[in-house]
Amino acid sequence: MYLHGTSKINDHGHLEIGGVDSTKLTADFGTPLYVFDEALVRQRCREYVDAFRASGFKFQVAYASKAFLVKAMCRIALEEGMSLDVVSDGELFTALEAGFPAERIHFHGNNKTPQEIEMAIDAKIGCFVVDNFVEMQMLNAIAAHKQQKVNVLLRVTPGVEAHTHEFISTGQTDSKFGFDLGNGSAFKAIQEAAQLSNLELLGIHSHIGSQIFEVEGFQMAADRLASLAVKVRSELQVTFKVINLGGGFGIRYVAGNTPLPIAVYVKAITDAVRENFSSNDYPLPEIWVEPGRSIVGDAGTTLYTVGTSKDIPGVRKYVAVDGGMTDNPRPALYDSVYEAMLANRATEESQEVVTIAGKCCESGDMLIWDLSLPKVNNGDILAVSCTGAYNYAMASNYNRIRRPAVVFVKDGQADLVVKRESFNDIVGNDVIPERMKLTSTRV
Ligand code: LLP
């Protein structure tokens, strides 16, 4: 397993993260346990902020909170000078509860409800990223009713789709998100937004994909947004102050993943915006981006306790851990791959190839196929790396399994930031109707 950030093997032959021995973490907090290397999260935030500072552009780096949001994470984002991208009332509520400044919150989503819009306007958030015509009219009407003017970006589908090493220029009309550039609906949306008196149109947004290892897709998106901006300025006399290029910057999950340094993505983006805008005599806009995975992904490690195993001679050996698709649904959902090691026997040679299964009552509940490990024993601690993004955030209570605790580790200290769910959390919202009182049972 590749050791990210402060992770290392200590003198006891144990995996240590943030200066804390993983066996102490599991003894103190139990398993499964999400462990975040706080220094690495902060380092990733700083890599973005420093690279944008160096570019000379005005900027906002909005952490895409869908990747992992808890109140303590909001504090880190705030302390590191980030803005925050939220996509639901739940994320907005979390941020506000944590004291995140509303003016640095951007609200995304393809189906914001009237209640969410009201909540966000009342909180005086910094910006709505408007996704479609229905939302635009609704937002304007609610803002008018509240006698407010709200900042908006319009989400444009630019016809660039990027994923790891591939990026393709597509018509991409068939997306649930945003105003299509190719069929003219983006231009129409801008025309409409510019006329709505309770909307302050700041600019346009695009998000081209996720886990991207190349800069070309971002450059192509910048080019297309710039062309749209130039057309809009000449035909509608509207000048954009902000260009938002979304998130999607890749991370190293396993050998063979080759993300670029964050500074390289940022330089490519700032250079592309400078080139495309200044060549058209367009005042340089602010650049906003929305990284999620690349802020928290490689800072997260999940610790499990090994339970049972099943050896099918000549076929496969399954080793089961005390979590699975409930705390990490990504292998089941996307065939995602992960690296792992025995955290309590980190210096021992590999001796067998096993498949790591979860404990859910479902054959698809697999975490890692064909993993080389020392001979695995019941009670060993399995560490799976790179689980910081879209793991806790996508965790479920399937099989009524309680969601794990989350700890932040730094400089030898471990702090609980989310408690392990209790049985009461599992049944706390259940209601037994009066007519089902434990009186009349058919025997
Ligand atoms: N901005 C927008 C508008 C987005 O839709 C997303 C991710 C981001 C920013 C952040 O992208 P990132 O930097 O994290 O790649 N559940 C999937 C990922 C879904 C991403 C959805 N949108 C997974 O586990 O891989």
Side-chain angles (χ1 to χ4, degrees), residues 64 66 108 155 207 210 247-248 290-293 330 334 390 394:
K66 72 204 81 185
H108 261 285
R155 178 165 180 171
H207 173 75
S210 213
E290 301 163 337
R293 191 190 313 270
R330 298 189 71 256
Y334 316 118
Y390 305 110
M394 295 176 75

Side-chain angles (χ1 to χ4, degrees), residues 77 183 228 328 366:
N183 71 9
L228 177 62
N328 183 1
M366 290 296 152

Side-chain angles (χ1 to χ4, degrees), residues 187 190-191 225-240 280-283:
F187 186 82
I190 293 163
Q191 202 166 22
L225 294 189
S227 304
L228 177 62
V230 168
K231 177 174 151 79
V232 163
R233 183 179 56 169
S234 75
E235 295 181 26
L236 304 176
Q237 288 73 52
V238 170
T239 306
F240 296 142
N280 285 293
D281 264 337
Y282 200 103

Side-chain angles (χ1 to χ4, degrees), residues 31 36 42 89 123 129 140 144 161 216 220 238 256 289 328 332 344 421 436 443:
T31 56
F36 280 79
R42 290 181 185 275
D89 47 6
V129 184
N140 187 62
E161 207 180 320
E216 286 83 353
M220 189 179 277
V238 170
V289 290
N328 183 1
N344 56 324
E421 281 182 339
M436 294 177 190
V443 195

